[in-house]
Amino acid sequence: MKSNVWGNLLEKTVGFIGLGVMGNSMASHILKDGHHVLVYTRTKAKADSILEKGAVWKDTVKELSKEADIIITMVGYPSDVEEVYFGSSGIIEHAKKGAYLIDMTTSKPSLAKKIAEAAKEKSLFALDAPVSGGDIGAQNGTLAIMVGGEKEAFEACLPIFTLMGENIQYQGPAGSGQHTKMCNQIAIAAGMIGVAEAMAYAQKSGLQPENVLKSITTGAAGSWSLSNLAPRMLKGDFEPGFYVKHFIKDMGIALEEAELMGEEMPGLSLAKSLYDQLAAQGEENSGTQSIYKLWVK
């Protein structure tokens, strides 16, 4: 099945489902560019700010799906993705023929493949396009977007992706975007332990941690987490740019996939155990930088 040439993208209606910490900013960039944007999220109050900017509220996923030419989902868990796409009032059943479906949730590669297969049967185009960059990247439109699915569909949707991100890479067939995101989360997981331990060490040794950061963020230790999350740790700012509960979900998916491939992930396993401990202490709705609390009370 070949995708159609979009023509004037501004004539297309974009539906956005899921307006959480990142989704609201992502949808706002699309709206700001002049697109007609329909929105739905389970808690309507979360849509208030974007509705004030001109987005149009839809009461159900079904209603949104019937009107949108491109539907973007950014929800919490694979179970939410399953419900949004495959429920009796879901996207697959009610989307217009030829619509583009983009799931930007971090979810299971196997579910991305399932969505792509079901979409193809309905003459729809599906892409799995998880992102990295947290709330800051979403706000600034600088997300890394990793995409799986048919390449023609990716190329057709590239103008939309460029409104939300800067590093946009096509990774391969359906599920490839989600597998790439697992690589991203694996790399972050052990790194977050290192960032927290480094900041705790700096404090305990009598250094000024803010000065330590000036030295180490531009050297070999440099990372996005060190530059963006370590300062939050030191300020006691544990508001979520990315929730602990969602990071635990991602690590669980990565561990499941690794097991299926016969790969051991000791670093990832350690990181998940520490985040499980953190969640058990009531921090599941805090940002991932709250791991610092395991070292500094």
Side-chain angles (χ1 to χ4, degrees):
M1 181 172 63
K2 291 188 177 181
S3 57
N4 297 321
V5 177
W6 271 53
N8 184 359
L9 206 60
L10 290 178
E11 295 176 358
K12 304 298 179 181
T13 296
V14 179
F16 206 105
I17 299 171
L19 299 171
V21 171
M22 297 176 67
N24 204 308
S25 295
M26 294 162 68
S28 293
H29 290 305
I30 298 171
L31 183 66
K32 186 177 179 180
D33 195 60
H35 299 276
H36 181 52
V37 176
L38 313 177
V39 296
Y40 170 80
T41 193
R42 284 183 295 192
T43 305
K44 188 177 180 181
K46 291 183 178 180
D48 286 347
S49 62
I50 195 168
L51 292 178
E52 290 174 359
K53 298 173 185 174
V56 177
W57 173 258
K58 292 298 172 181
D59 288 320
T60 63
V61 171
K62 177 180 177 179
E63 186 180 350
L64 182 149
S65 299
K66 286 184 172 182
E67 297 185 31
D69 300 297
I70 181 168
I71 302 169
I72 299 172
T73 51
M74 185 67 170
V75 294
Y77 295 88
S79 58
D80 299 317
V81 175
E82 186 95 30
E83 180 182 352
V84 165
Y85 279 88
F86 293 105
S88 59
S89 298
I91 295 169
I92 297 294
E93 186 65 28
H94 299 287
K96 299 190 297 184
K97 182 178 179 180
Y100 291 79
L101 318 179
I102 306 174
D103 184 29
M104 304 189 82
T105 315
T106 298
S107 184
K108 295 181 177 181
S110 58
L111 181 53
K113 293 176 184 177
K114 179 180 176 182
I115 291 170
E117 290 168 1
K120 190 171 185 178
E121 291 178 1
K122 293 278 189 175
S123 297
L124 305 167
F125 303 95
L127 297 169
D128 49 291
V131 303
S132 182
D135 59 334
I136 296 171
Q139 290 165 15
N140 295 334
T142 57
L143 292 169
I145 305 175
M146 42 215 89
V147 189
E150 294 183 5
K151 191 165 187 180
E152 285 188 346
F154 163 73
E155 291 172 348
C157 294
L158 190 56
I160 288 289
F161 288 134
T162 59
L163 300 177
M164 298 179 282
E166 290 184 343
N167 180 9
I168 303 155
Q169 301 293 332
Y170 175 71
Q171 296 293 340
S176 299
Q178 296 296 353
H179 275 305
T180 304
K181 182 60 186 288
M182 291 304 105
C183 296
N184 184 83
Q185 301 305 73
I186 292 166
I188 289 173
M192 284 297 295
I193 298 173
V195 170
E197 287 186 337
M199 294 302 95
Y201 183 97
Q203 282 203 332
K204 291 293 178 66
S205 63
L207 295 169
Q208 293 294 322
E210 291 81 5
N211 285 338
V212 172
L213 280 178
K214 291 177 183 178
S215 290
I216 69 175
T217 53
T218 60
S223 69
W224 189 95
S225 296
L226 190 67
S227 296
N228 292 280
L229 297 182
R232 294 192 189 189
M233 293 177 181
L234 298 178
K235 292 176 183 176
D237 175 6
F238 301 112
E239 288 300 306
F242 188 61
Y243 287 109
V244 165
K245 61 185 179 184
H246 290 162
F247 197 31
I248 290 172
K249 174 261 296 183
D250 294 353
M251 289 187 283
I253 293 172
L255 286 168
E256 289 175 12
E257 294 291 333
E259 185 176 358
L260 290 173
M261 294 184 285
E263 290 289 337
E264 292 186 4
M265 298 282 164
L268 181 61
S269 297
L270 173 59
K272 186 176 183 298
S273 70
L274 291 174
Y275 274 100
D276 284 338
Q277 180 183 334
L278 191 64
Q281 295 176 6
E283 300 289 344
E284 66 274 8
N285 289 312
S286 297
T288 52
Q289 70 274 19
S290 61
I291 193 173
Y292 187 54
K293 292 184 178 183
L294 295 181
W295 283 270
V296 179
K297 306 299 181 183

